[in-house]
Short mmCIF file of all heavy atoms in Angstrom, two decimals:
data_model
loop_
_atom_site.label_atom_id
_atom_site.label_comp_id
_atom_site.label_asym_id
_atom_site.label_seq_id
_atom_site.Cartn_x
_atom_site.Cartn_y
_atom_site.Cartn_z
N MET A 14 -147.87 -69.72 3.11
CA MET A 14 -148.94 -69.02 4.01
C MET A 14 -148.52 -67.70 4.40
O MET A 14 -147.47 -67.63 5.04
CB MET A 14 -149.38 -70.03 5.07
CG MET A 14 -150.41 -69.33 5.99
SD MET A 14 -150.59 -69.95 7.64
CE MET A 14 -151.11 -71.62 7.32
N PRO A 15 -149.13 -66.59 4.20
CA PRO A 15 -148.64 -65.35 4.70
C PRO A 15 -148.60 -65.27 6.17
O PRO A 15 -149.46 -65.85 6.94
CB PRO A 15 -149.85 -64.34 4.22
CG PRO A 15 -150.61 -65.06 3.24
CD PRO A 15 -150.38 -66.54 3.46
N GLY A 16 -147.61 -64.63 6.78
CA GLY A 16 -147.55 -64.53 8.24
C GLY A 16 -146.95 -65.66 8.90
O GLY A 16 -146.96 -65.79 10.12
N GLN A 17 -146.38 -66.61 8.16
CA GLN A 17 -145.69 -67.70 8.75
C GLN A 17 -144.53 -67.29 9.60
O GLN A 17 -143.85 -66.36 9.21
CB GLN A 17 -145.30 -68.71 7.76
CG GLN A 17 -146.17 -69.75 7.20
CD GLN A 17 -145.63 -70.73 6.27
OE1 GLN A 17 -144.85 -70.45 5.52
NE2 GLN A 17 -146.00 -72.04 6.52
N LEU A 18 -144.34 -67.93 10.69
CA LEU A 18 -143.24 -67.66 11.51
C LEU A 18 -141.84 -68.24 10.94
O LEU A 18 -141.91 -69.23 10.33
CB LEU A 18 -143.49 -68.22 12.93
CG LEU A 18 -144.62 -67.70 13.62
CD1 LEU A 18 -144.94 -68.41 14.89
CD2 LEU A 18 -144.44 -66.16 13.90
N PRO A 19 -140.76 -67.65 11.25
CA PRO A 19 -139.52 -68.24 10.78
C PRO A 19 -139.30 -69.61 11.37
O PRO A 19 -139.82 -69.90 12.51
CB PRO A 19 -138.40 -67.15 11.28
CG PRO A 19 -139.15 -65.95 11.81
CD PRO A 19 -140.55 -66.39 11.96
N ALA A 20 -138.48 -70.34 10.69
CA ALA A 20 -138.27 -71.77 11.13
C ALA A 20 -137.69 -71.83 12.51
O ALA A 20 -138.01 -72.77 13.26
CB ALA A 20 -137.36 -72.55 10.17
N ASP A 21 -136.88 -70.88 12.97
CA ASP A 21 -136.20 -70.95 14.30
C ASP A 21 -137.05 -70.07 15.35
O ASP A 21 -136.56 -69.92 16.33
CB ASP A 21 -134.78 -70.49 14.19
CG ASP A 21 -134.63 -69.05 13.84
OD1 ASP A 21 -135.65 -68.37 13.33
OD2 ASP A 21 -133.62 -68.52 14.10
N PHE A 22 -138.17 -69.76 15.09
CA PHE A 22 -138.92 -68.82 16.00
C PHE A 22 -139.10 -69.55 17.33
O PHE A 22 -139.09 -68.87 18.44
CB PHE A 22 -140.43 -68.55 15.36
CG PHE A 22 -141.12 -67.62 16.20
CD1 PHE A 22 -140.96 -66.17 16.12
CD2 PHE A 22 -142.18 -68.01 17.01
CE1 PHE A 22 -141.62 -65.32 16.92
CE2 PHE A 22 -142.85 -67.15 17.79
CZ PHE A 22 -142.58 -65.86 17.73
N PHE A 23 -139.39 -70.87 17.46
CA PHE A 23 -139.57 -71.57 18.63
C PHE A 23 -138.32 -72.16 19.12
O PHE A 23 -138.41 -72.97 20.06
CB PHE A 23 -140.68 -72.52 18.57
CG PHE A 23 -142.11 -71.94 18.31
CD1 PHE A 23 -142.57 -72.01 17.13
CD2 PHE A 23 -142.71 -71.37 19.36
CE1 PHE A 23 -143.90 -71.41 16.84
CE2 PHE A 23 -143.94 -70.79 19.16
CZ PHE A 23 -144.56 -70.81 17.82
N ARG A 24 -137.21 -71.83 18.60
CA ARG A 24 -135.87 -72.40 19.06
C ARG A 24 -135.63 -72.01 20.43
O ARG A 24 -135.81 -70.82 20.87
CB ARG A 24 -134.70 -71.88 18.22
CG ARG A 24 -133.37 -72.40 18.51
CD ARG A 24 -132.30 -71.83 17.64
NE ARG A 24 -132.21 -70.38 17.77
CZ ARG A 24 -131.69 -69.68 18.74
NH1 ARG A 24 -131.06 -70.36 19.71
NH2 ARG A 24 -131.62 -68.39 18.64
N ARG A 25 -135.14 -72.90 21.22
CA ARG A 25 -134.79 -72.54 22.70
C ARG A 25 -133.57 -71.78 22.81
O ARG A 25 -132.53 -72.04 22.14
CB ARG A 25 -134.81 -73.85 23.40
CG ARG A 25 -136.02 -74.69 23.56
CD ARG A 25 -135.96 -75.94 24.22
NE ARG A 25 -135.46 -75.62 25.64
CZ ARG A 25 -135.72 -76.39 26.64
NH1 ARG A 25 -136.38 -77.52 26.60
NH2 ARG A 25 -135.23 -76.16 27.77
N ILE A 26 -133.68 -70.76 23.58
CA ILE A 26 -132.54 -69.94 24.01
C ILE A 26 -131.61 -70.72 24.91
O ILE A 26 -130.41 -70.67 24.92
CB ILE A 26 -132.89 -68.54 24.57
CG1 ILE A 26 -133.71 -67.87 23.52
CG2 ILE A 26 -131.69 -67.86 25.04
CD1 ILE A 26 -134.36 -66.58 24.03
N ASP A 27 -132.16 -71.43 25.84
CA ASP A 27 -131.57 -72.20 26.92
C ASP A 27 -131.80 -73.66 26.68
O ASP A 27 -132.85 -74.15 26.84
CB ASP A 27 -132.07 -71.76 28.18
CG ASP A 27 -131.39 -72.46 29.40
OD1 ASP A 27 -130.59 -73.34 29.25
OD2 ASP A 27 -131.76 -72.06 30.61
N ASP A 28 -130.74 -74.45 26.41
CA ASP A 28 -130.95 -75.86 26.13
C ASP A 28 -130.76 -76.71 27.46
O ASP A 28 -130.65 -77.97 27.39
CB ASP A 28 -129.89 -76.33 25.09
CG ASP A 28 -130.30 -75.81 23.68
OD1 ASP A 28 -131.45 -75.69 23.39
OD2 ASP A 28 -129.36 -75.57 22.94
N ASP A 29 -130.73 -75.99 28.59
CA ASP A 29 -130.60 -76.77 29.81
C ASP A 29 -131.87 -77.58 30.09
O ASP A 29 -132.87 -77.31 29.50
CB ASP A 29 -130.41 -75.89 31.07
CG ASP A 29 -129.10 -75.13 31.11
OD1 ASP A 29 -128.15 -75.61 30.44
OD2 ASP A 29 -128.98 -74.27 31.82
N ASP A 30 -131.73 -78.67 30.80
CA ASP A 30 -132.80 -79.59 31.09
C ASP A 30 -133.89 -78.83 31.85
O ASP A 30 -133.64 -78.14 32.79
CB ASP A 30 -132.30 -80.69 31.99
CG ASP A 30 -133.34 -81.74 32.22
OD1 ASP A 30 -134.49 -81.54 31.81
OD2 ASP A 30 -132.93 -82.84 32.91
N ASP A 31 -135.22 -78.99 31.41
CA ASP A 31 -136.27 -78.22 32.06
C ASP A 31 -136.43 -78.69 33.59
O ASP A 31 -136.88 -77.83 34.32
CB ASP A 31 -137.64 -78.56 31.42
CG ASP A 31 -137.73 -77.85 30.01
OD1 ASP A 31 -136.92 -76.92 29.80
OD2 ASP A 31 -138.64 -78.25 29.28
N GLU A 32 -135.94 -79.94 33.94
CA GLU A 32 -136.08 -80.20 35.31
C GLU A 32 -135.38 -79.31 36.26
O GLU A 32 -135.79 -79.01 37.38
CB GLU A 32 -135.52 -81.66 35.47
CG GLU A 32 -135.85 -82.26 36.75
CD GLU A 32 -135.48 -83.75 36.87
OE1 GLU A 32 -135.50 -84.40 35.91
OE2 GLU A 32 -135.09 -84.19 38.01
N VAL A 33 -134.29 -78.74 35.70
CA VAL A 33 -133.45 -77.74 36.67
C VAL A 33 -134.35 -76.55 36.90
O VAL A 33 -134.44 -76.04 37.97
CB VAL A 33 -132.17 -77.34 35.99
CG1 VAL A 33 -131.52 -76.30 36.72
CG2 VAL A 33 -131.33 -78.60 35.78
N PHE A 34 -135.05 -76.05 35.81
CA PHE A 34 -135.87 -74.84 35.96
C PHE A 34 -137.05 -75.13 36.94
O PHE A 34 -137.48 -74.22 37.74
CB PHE A 34 -136.37 -74.32 34.58
CG PHE A 34 -137.19 -73.19 34.69
CD1 PHE A 34 -136.71 -71.95 34.68
CD2 PHE A 34 -138.73 -73.36 34.61
CE1 PHE A 34 -137.63 -70.77 34.77
CE2 PHE A 34 -139.54 -72.19 34.66
CZ PHE A 34 -139.04 -70.94 34.80
N TYR A 35 -137.67 -76.26 36.78
CA TYR A 35 -138.92 -76.53 37.57
C TYR A 35 -138.60 -77.25 38.82
O TYR A 35 -139.48 -77.60 39.58
CB TYR A 35 -139.86 -77.41 36.81
CG TYR A 35 -140.46 -76.63 35.49
CD1 TYR A 35 -140.04 -76.98 34.19
CD2 TYR A 35 -141.29 -75.61 35.73
CE1 TYR A 35 -140.47 -76.33 33.10
CE2 TYR A 35 -141.87 -74.98 34.62
CZ TYR A 35 -141.62 -75.33 33.33
OH TYR A 35 -142.11 -74.59 32.37
N SER A 36 -137.45 -77.33 39.27
CA SER A 36 -137.05 -77.97 40.54
C SER A 36 -137.53 -77.17 41.75
O SER A 36 -137.82 -77.71 42.84
CB SER A 36 -135.61 -78.28 40.59
OG SER A 36 -134.85 -77.13 40.64
N ALA A 37 -137.52 -75.78 41.59
CA ALA A 37 -137.96 -75.02 42.77
C ALA A 37 -139.33 -74.35 42.46
O ALA A 37 -139.60 -73.92 41.37
CB ALA A 37 -137.00 -73.87 42.86
N PRO A 38 -140.25 -74.38 43.44
CA PRO A 38 -141.56 -73.78 43.22
C PRO A 38 -141.44 -72.27 42.99
O PRO A 38 -140.59 -71.66 43.52
CB PRO A 38 -142.25 -74.02 44.53
CG PRO A 38 -141.51 -74.95 45.36
CD PRO A 38 -140.05 -74.90 44.71
N ARG A 39 -142.28 -71.83 42.09
CA ARG A 39 -142.22 -70.34 41.68
C ARG A 39 -143.70 -69.81 41.81
O ARG A 39 -144.59 -70.43 41.40
CB ARG A 39 -141.75 -70.20 40.32
CG ARG A 39 -140.33 -70.73 40.17
CD ARG A 39 -139.92 -70.75 38.61
NE ARG A 39 -138.75 -71.46 38.43
CZ ARG A 39 -137.63 -70.93 38.45
NH1 ARG A 39 -137.53 -69.69 38.62
NH2 ARG A 39 -136.45 -71.54 38.19
N LEU A 40 -143.77 -68.60 42.31
CA LEU A 40 -145.02 -67.90 42.38
C LEU A 40 -144.96 -66.94 41.23
O LEU A 40 -144.21 -66.05 41.07
CB LEU A 40 -145.18 -67.19 43.68
CG LEU A 40 -146.36 -66.24 43.75
CD1 LEU A 40 -147.76 -67.08 43.58
CD2 LEU A 40 -146.48 -65.31 44.96
N VAL A 41 -145.94 -67.18 40.31
CA VAL A 41 -145.97 -66.30 39.11
C VAL A 41 -147.33 -65.66 38.98
O VAL A 41 -148.37 -66.25 39.20
CB VAL A 41 -145.77 -67.24 37.77
CG1 VAL A 41 -145.93 -66.34 36.59
CG2 VAL A 41 -144.49 -67.92 37.90
N VAL A 42 -147.36 -64.34 38.88
CA VAL A 42 -148.63 -63.52 38.64
C VAL A 42 -148.78 -63.09 37.21
O VAL A 42 -147.79 -62.60 36.67
CB VAL A 42 -148.59 -62.32 39.55
CG1 VAL A 42 -149.81 -61.46 39.40
CG2 VAL A 42 -148.45 -62.66 41.08
N HIS A 43 -149.86 -63.50 36.61
CA HIS A 43 -149.95 -63.30 35.20
C HIS A 43 -150.88 -62.12 34.94
O HIS A 43 -151.23 -61.90 33.79
CB HIS A 43 -150.57 -64.59 34.56
CG HIS A 43 -149.67 -65.70 34.68
ND1 HIS A 43 -148.61 -65.95 33.64
CD2 HIS A 43 -149.64 -66.80 35.34
CE1 HIS A 43 -147.93 -66.97 33.88
NE2 HIS A 43 -148.57 -67.61 34.92
N LEU A 44 -151.22 -61.42 35.94
CA LEU A 44 -151.96 -60.13 35.69
C LEU A 44 -151.23 -58.98 36.23
O LEU A 44 -150.51 -59.04 37.23
CB LEU A 44 -153.30 -60.17 36.48
CG LEU A 44 -154.40 -61.16 36.02
CD1 LEU A 44 -155.54 -61.27 36.96
CD2 LEU A 44 -154.88 -60.76 34.62
N ASN A 45 -151.45 -57.69 35.75
CA ASN A 45 -150.81 -56.61 36.30
C ASN A 45 -151.71 -56.13 37.36
O ASN A 45 -152.85 -56.76 37.67
CB ASN A 45 -150.63 -55.50 35.23
CG ASN A 45 -151.93 -55.03 34.60
OD1 ASN A 45 -153.01 -55.25 35.24
ND2 ASN A 45 -151.73 -54.45 33.48
N GLU A 46 -151.39 -55.07 38.17
CA GLU A 46 -152.17 -54.72 39.36
C GLU A 46 -153.53 -54.35 39.07
O GLU A 46 -154.51 -54.70 39.67
CB GLU A 46 -151.45 -53.58 40.03
CG GLU A 46 -150.16 -53.96 40.68
CD GLU A 46 -149.54 -52.76 41.50
OE1 GLU A 46 -150.25 -51.80 41.75
OE2 GLU A 46 -148.28 -52.78 41.64
N GLY A 47 -153.73 -53.67 37.89
CA GLY A 47 -155.13 -53.22 37.59
C GLY A 47 -156.01 -54.46 37.13
O GLY A 47 -157.09 -54.53 37.49
N GLY A 48 -155.44 -55.46 36.49
CA GLY A 48 -156.15 -56.63 36.14
C GLY A 48 -156.49 -57.41 37.35
O GLY A 48 -157.56 -58.01 37.49
N PHE A 49 -155.46 -57.54 38.27
CA PHE A 49 -155.74 -58.24 39.43
C PHE A 49 -156.80 -57.69 40.27
O PHE A 49 -157.73 -58.33 40.87
CB PHE A 49 -154.43 -58.32 40.34
CG PHE A 49 -154.31 -59.33 41.41
CD1 PHE A 49 -154.27 -60.65 41.17
CD2 PHE A 49 -154.48 -58.92 42.70
CE1 PHE A 49 -154.30 -61.60 42.30
CE2 PHE A 49 -154.47 -59.72 43.74
CZ PHE A 49 -154.43 -61.18 43.56
N ALA A 50 -156.78 -56.34 40.35
CA ALA A 50 -157.87 -55.63 41.12
C ALA A 50 -159.24 -55.84 40.58
O ALA A 50 -160.25 -55.93 41.18
CB ALA A 50 -157.55 -54.13 41.22
N LYS A 51 -159.30 -55.78 39.14
CA LYS A 51 -160.67 -55.94 38.43
C LYS A 51 -161.17 -57.31 38.65
O LYS A 51 -162.33 -57.44 38.89
CB LYS A 51 -160.32 -55.70 37.06
CG LYS A 51 -161.64 -55.78 36.10
CD LYS A 51 -162.48 -54.66 36.47
CE LYS A 51 -163.58 -54.59 35.41
NZ LYS A 51 -164.57 -53.34 35.68
N VAL A 52 -160.37 -58.40 38.55
CA VAL A 52 -160.80 -59.73 38.87
C VAL A 52 -161.27 -59.81 40.28
O VAL A 52 -162.37 -60.52 40.59
CB VAL A 52 -159.66 -60.73 38.50
CG1 VAL A 52 -160.01 -62.21 38.88
CG2 VAL A 52 -159.38 -60.75 36.92
N GLY A 53 -160.49 -59.26 41.16
CA GLY A 53 -160.90 -59.33 42.58
C GLY A 53 -162.24 -58.73 42.90
O GLY A 53 -163.12 -59.29 43.62
N GLY A 54 -162.46 -57.57 42.16
CA GLY A 54 -163.76 -56.93 42.36
C GLY A 54 -164.97 -57.75 41.73
O GLY A 54 -165.97 -57.81 42.35
N ILE A 55 -164.63 -58.43 40.72
CA ILE A 55 -165.58 -59.22 40.11
C ILE A 55 -165.97 -60.43 41.07
O ILE A 55 -167.24 -60.81 41.26
CB ILE A 55 -165.23 -59.77 38.74
CG1 ILE A 55 -165.16 -58.63 37.81
CG2 ILE A 55 -166.09 -60.83 38.20
CD1 ILE A 55 -164.43 -58.98 36.33
N VAL A 56 -164.95 -61.06 41.64
CA VAL A 56 -165.11 -62.19 42.53
C VAL A 56 -165.97 -61.76 43.74
O VAL A 56 -166.91 -62.36 44.13
CB VAL A 56 -163.76 -62.80 42.95
CG1 VAL A 56 -164.04 -63.74 44.16
CG2 VAL A 56 -163.14 -63.41 41.77
N ILE A 57 -165.58 -60.66 44.29
CA ILE A 57 -166.18 -60.06 45.57
C ILE A 57 -167.73 -59.80 45.20
O ILE A 57 -168.71 -60.14 45.83
CB ILE A 57 -165.51 -58.80 46.05
CG1 ILE A 57 -164.13 -59.12 46.55
CG2 ILE A 57 -166.44 -58.02 47.11
CD1 ILE A 57 -164.17 -60.16 47.68
N HIS A 58 -167.90 -59.05 43.94
CA HIS A 58 -169.29 -58.76 43.51
C HIS A 58 -170.13 -60.07 43.54
O HIS A 58 -171.31 -60.16 44.02
CB HIS A 58 -169.24 -58.00 42.22
CG HIS A 58 -170.54 -57.83 41.58
ND1 HIS A 58 -171.48 -56.88 42.11
CD2 HIS A 58 -171.19 -58.45 40.64
CE1 HIS A 58 -172.69 -56.97 41.35
NE2 HIS A 58 -172.47 -58.01 40.44
N ASN A 59 -169.62 -61.12 42.81
CA ASN A 59 -170.35 -62.35 42.63
C ASN A 59 -170.53 -63.10 43.98
O ASN A 59 -171.55 -63.69 44.07
CB ASN A 59 -169.64 -63.28 41.64
CG ASN A 59 -169.86 -62.70 40.25
OD1 ASN A 59 -170.83 -62.15 39.89
ND2 ASN A 59 -168.76 -62.89 39.33
N LEU A 60 -169.59 -63.00 44.85
CA LEU A 60 -169.77 -63.65 46.17
C LEU A 60 -170.95 -62.97 46.93
O LEU A 60 -171.75 -63.56 47.58
CB LEU A 60 -168.48 -63.63 46.99
CG LEU A 60 -167.41 -64.66 46.53
CD1 LEU A 60 -166.02 -64.45 47.19
CD2 LEU A 60 -167.85 -66.09 46.62
N ASN A 61 -170.99 -61.62 46.97
CA ASN A 61 -171.91 -60.84 47.64
C ASN A 61 -173.28 -61.19 46.99
O ASN A 61 -174.24 -61.30 47.70
CB ASN A 61 -171.66 -59.39 47.59
CG ASN A 61 -170.48 -58.89 48.39
OD1 ASN A 61 -170.11 -59.73 49.42
ND2 ASN A 61 -169.82 -57.91 48.07
N ARG A 62 -173.30 -61.22 45.73
CA ARG A 62 -174.71 -61.51 45.06
C ARG A 62 -175.12 -62.95 45.38
O ARG A 62 -176.31 -63.07 45.71
CB ARG A 62 -174.44 -61.35 43.47
CG ARG A 62 -175.83 -61.35 42.87
CD ARG A 62 -175.73 -60.89 41.45
NE ARG A 62 -174.69 -61.70 40.63
CZ ARG A 62 -174.60 -61.88 39.44
NH1 ARG A 62 -175.44 -61.08 38.70
NH2 ARG A 62 -173.74 -62.55 38.85
N ALA A 63 -174.22 -63.90 45.40
CA ALA A 63 -174.54 -65.23 45.80
C ALA A 63 -174.98 -65.30 47.24
O ALA A 63 -175.98 -66.01 47.61
CB ALA A 63 -173.40 -66.15 45.51
N ALA A 64 -174.45 -64.53 48.14
CA ALA A 64 -174.71 -64.53 49.52
C ALA A 64 -176.15 -63.96 49.70
O ALA A 64 -176.93 -64.44 50.55
CB ALA A 64 -173.68 -63.79 50.32
N ARG A 65 -176.38 -62.99 49.05
CA ARG A 65 -177.71 -62.32 49.10
C ARG A 65 -178.86 -63.24 48.68
O ARG A 65 -179.93 -63.28 49.20
CB ARG A 65 -177.77 -60.93 48.36
CG ARG A 65 -177.14 -59.75 49.10
CD ARG A 65 -177.28 -58.43 48.47
NE ARG A 65 -176.97 -58.41 47.05
CZ ARG A 65 -175.85 -57.95 46.47
NH1 ARG A 65 -174.89 -57.80 47.42
NH2 ARG A 65 -175.57 -58.05 45.18
N SER A 66 -178.57 -63.93 47.51
CA SER A 66 -179.63 -64.74 46.94
C SER A 66 -179.86 -66.01 47.65
O SER A 66 -180.92 -66.71 47.54
CB SER A 66 -179.36 -65.06 45.52
OG SER A 66 -178.15 -65.89 45.32
N SER A 67 -178.86 -66.39 48.58
CA SER A 67 -179.08 -67.69 49.41
C SER A 67 -179.79 -67.49 50.63
O SER A 67 -180.01 -68.44 51.42
CB SER A 67 -177.71 -68.23 49.59
OG SER A 67 -177.01 -67.43 50.49
N THR A 68 -180.15 -66.24 50.92
CA THR A 68 -180.86 -66.01 52.23
C THR A 68 -182.42 -65.71 51.99
O THR A 68 -182.89 -65.65 50.95
CB THR A 68 -180.37 -64.60 52.91
OG1 THR A 68 -180.51 -63.55 51.98
CG2 THR A 68 -178.98 -64.80 53.36
#
């Protein structure tokens, strides 16, 4: 199949137990500042629209 990934593509770089990595809580942001601002604007817009339609 064209575009197949090499056999070792998903090989782990770190063979340590995952429990060690996940033992401490982590805050992860998956959006950059622009994306975060855009999503926040959409949420505010929708909340305002919902508040207006409920009165």
Side-chain angles (χ1 to χ4, degrees):
M14 172 194 306
Q17 276 188 317
L18 299 172
D21 68 341
F22 186 79
F23 293 103
R24 184 182 56 81
R25 293 179 60 150
I26 295 170
D27 179 358
D28 288 328
D29 289 345
D30 187 353
D31 287 344
E32 190 173 330
V33 173
F34 178 83
Y35 291 109
S36 64
R39 300 169 189 272
L40 174 62
V41 179
V42 178
H43 294 280
L44 290 173
N45 63 20
E46 289 181 26
F49 194 74
K51 184 69 171 179
V52 170
I55 291 168
V56 170
I57 295 298
H58 172 78
N59 288 330
L60 286 173
N61 287 337
R62 188 168 57 164
R65 286 191 303 270
S66 68
S67 68
T68 58

